Amino acid sequence: MITDSIGQLKRYAVPKADLILKFIAEHNCVNLADGEMEIEGRQLFVRIMSYIPKPALENRFETHHIYADVQYVALGAELMQTARLKDLEVLTGYDDQGDYQFFKPKGAITDLVIEAGEFAVFYPRQAHRPACLYEGYKGTVKKLVFKVKIN
């Protein structure tokens, strides 16, 4: 898991960082329509979403096996949480079509506040609970989740 301002993405050797930064530079991310766009086929694509964050307990932890998430907040702020797999209880089996598995916490959780212009990277099998309400922010979040094929 990595967090920083988007301008620092390349310093962490995140795969496809150049293409991600090029996409962000070439688009007005706040005004993009929600949906999905391929950047480099299924090797790199982006899911664009707008939403009101929910209290953390209303969201589930998730992991992926094939894709890493580069979650870039273009507008607003949200709380993202991480946890070690040993501190989670399995809720669902792995869905290989959607590349996800859901969990609920049973141990330690780490909170991360990600604000506009910042990102978080979650590699395969790194559990995360995004889209959570951050007490210091009320309003809509516009987020781009770049899906980078790793496995």
Side-chain angles (χ1 to χ4, degrees):
M1 183 264 319
I2 303 165
T3 66
D4 205 336
S5 64
I6 196 64
Q8 300 300 314
L9 182 65
K10 285 174 45 174
R11 80 183 308 185
Y12 299 102
V14 172
K16 312 283 185 190
D18 287 335
L19 290 172
I20 292 168
L21 291 171
K22 182 176 187 248
F23 182 93
I24 291 169
E26 291 177 352
H27 294 84
N28 181 339
C29 295
V30 172
N31 292 325
L32 284 173
D34 288 358
E36 186 173 291
M37 297 172 66
E38 289 190 352
I39 299 169
E40 193 176 62
R42 299 315 280 175
Q43 298 295 310
L44 173 64
F45 62 96
V46 62
R47 291 186 177 142
I48 303 150
M49 54 194 78
S50 303
Y51 54 87
I52 304 289
K54 299 187 290 189
L57 293 177
E58 294 181 24
N59 294 332
R60 299 177 286 187
F61 277 90
E62 61 187 57
T63 62
H64 311 291
H65 292 192
I66 297 170
Y67 289 94
D69 281 0
V70 178
Q71 299 200 12
Y72 168 61
V73 175
L75 174 72
E78 74 176 56
L79 179 71
M80 296 183 192
Q81 295 181 319
T82 64
R84 299 173 297 183
L85 287 176
K86 71 178 190 173
D87 290 324
L88 299 172
E89 182 179 322
V90 173
L91 282 175
T92 67
Y94 173 67
D95 181 314
D96 60 348
Q97 293 295 315
D99 185 39
Y100 60 82
Q101 184 172 15
F102 293 120
F103 302 83
K104 68 178 182 177
K106 66 175 186 176
I109 296 171
T110 301
D111 288 346
L112 307 165
V113 176
I114 308 297
E115 298 178 331
E118 298 176 339
F119 71 91
V121 177
F122 302 101
Y123 283 95
R125 300 192 185 275
Q126 290 184 326
H128 53 288
R129 180 160 57 180
C132 300
L133 180 64
Y134 168 55
E135 283 189 36
Y137 179 75
K138 295 193 184 335
T140 300
V141 168
K142 182 71 166 205
K143 183 165 69 176
L144 285 70
V145 179
F146 294 90
K147 306 293 282 185
V148 182
K149 189 168 186 182
I150 301 291
N151 296 320

